[in-house]
Amino acid sequence: MPIKNTRSRYGWISMGLHWLMALVVIAMFALGIWMRELSYYDPWYQDAPAIHKSIGIILFTLLIGRIIWRNINIRPLDDPALKRWERITSHLAHFALYGLMLALMVAGYLISTADGRPIQVFDWFSVPATLYGIAEQEDIAGEIHEILAWALILLAGVHALAALKHHFINRDSTLLKMLGRDAKNITPVHSTEKENGL
């Protein structure tokens, strides 16, 4: 499998970043929901938010790296069986996912640094507070963070369902390209039907 993308499939760096970030985003969402239910006397009351913040900073770094990698790499061609509206909505969904992740992480940063204290990332390093002291910053950023988290999970769910639809119903190369399969070896159901005169 190539390191970089080709016109027929994603390389292992793009694939690794995609699947790793997908798993981490889901885990972070679950962690965020769980830690909201913790009481002050729960042993995880301090640790869970600290882990959430630390992973959030690392995830932000991965996201920036992924955006850079996406822009310096070629992108696999869309499956020829895709309709025009499917191509457009696919590209818009990808941009929306990137935008939501960026906005979500910025909101999380504003929550964590609202009191002017830096974010400690697993005691490895700290990220300083650069914008703080705004009236009700933590509450406003917290509400925005929650809304964006739900929006991201819902859109990611639609994205996953669309990929499964293309794989099991259309039988095209959309999902397979992100699984390391070469799209040149895939015959979409539309092409088969045309060859049979259907």
Side-chain angles (χ1 to χ4, degrees):
M1 183 187 304
I3 293 176
K4 292 186 175 182
N5 301 341
T6 68
R7 285 300 184 188
S8 58
R9 68 180 175 188
Y10 289 97
W12 67 263
I13 292 180
S14 293
M15 287 174 47
L17 286 171
H18 175 274
W19 294 111
L20 174 62
M21 291 185 67
L23 290 173
V24 173
V25 164
I26 293 169
M28 286 284 279
F29 181 78
L31 177 60
I33 295 293
W34 174 70
M35 70 186 192
R36 284 176 57 111
E37 304 301 320
L38 299 176
S39 68
Y40 180 79
Y41 298 102
D42 194 288
W44 283 96
Y45 185 78
Q46 299 290 339
D47 291 340
I51 292 170
H52 192 82
K53 294 173 190 178
S54 295
I55 296 175
I57 294 294
I58 294 170
L59 191 61
F60 177 77
T61 304
L62 287 175
L63 178 60
I64 297 301
R66 186 175 176 187
I67 291 171
I68 292 170
W69 185 250
R70 177 186 173 96
N71 284 299
I72 63 175
N73 245 306
I74 61 173
R75 185 179 173 278
L77 297 172
D78 291 324
D79 191 284
L82 292 183
K83 299 179 178 67
R84 185 170 181 272
W85 69 267
E86 290 176 314
R87 297 172 195 267
I88 293 171
T89 54
S90 172
H91 294 303
L92 289 176
H94 277 98
F95 285 123
L97 285 167
Y98 284 117
L100 280 171
M101 283 190 285
L102 278 172
L104 178 67
M105 293 172 197
V106 170
Y109 170 79
L110 292 175
I111 298 168
S112 304
T113 58
D115 59 2
R117 288 183 293 179
I119 300 172
Q120 297 295 328
V121 181
F122 292 124
D123 293 327
W124 299 338
F125 60 92
S126 62
V127 177
T130 56
L131 184 64
Y132 56 90
I134 301 171
E136 300 182 5
Q137 176 176 327
E138 186 174 0
D139 292 336
I140 294 170
E143 290 180 14
I144 293 171
H145 189 71
E146 182 177 1
I147 292 168
L148 292 174
W150 280 103
L152 177 60
I153 287 297
L154 289 173
L155 183 56
V158 172
H159 174 68
L161 288 173
L164 292 173
K165 179 257 187 188
H166 281 285
H167 185 71
F168 290 108
I169 298 176
N170 298 99
R171 298 202 302 272
D172 62 33
S173 64
T174 301
L175 177 59
L176 293 173
K177 286 183 290 189
M178 190 52 83
L179 294 174
R181 293 284 301 279
D182 197 321
K184 291 184 291 188
N185 299 325
I186 308 303
T187 303
V189 66
H190 301 76
S191 300
T192 306
E193 290 173 352
K194 286 178 183 177
E195 288 172 5
N196 293 335
L198 300 175

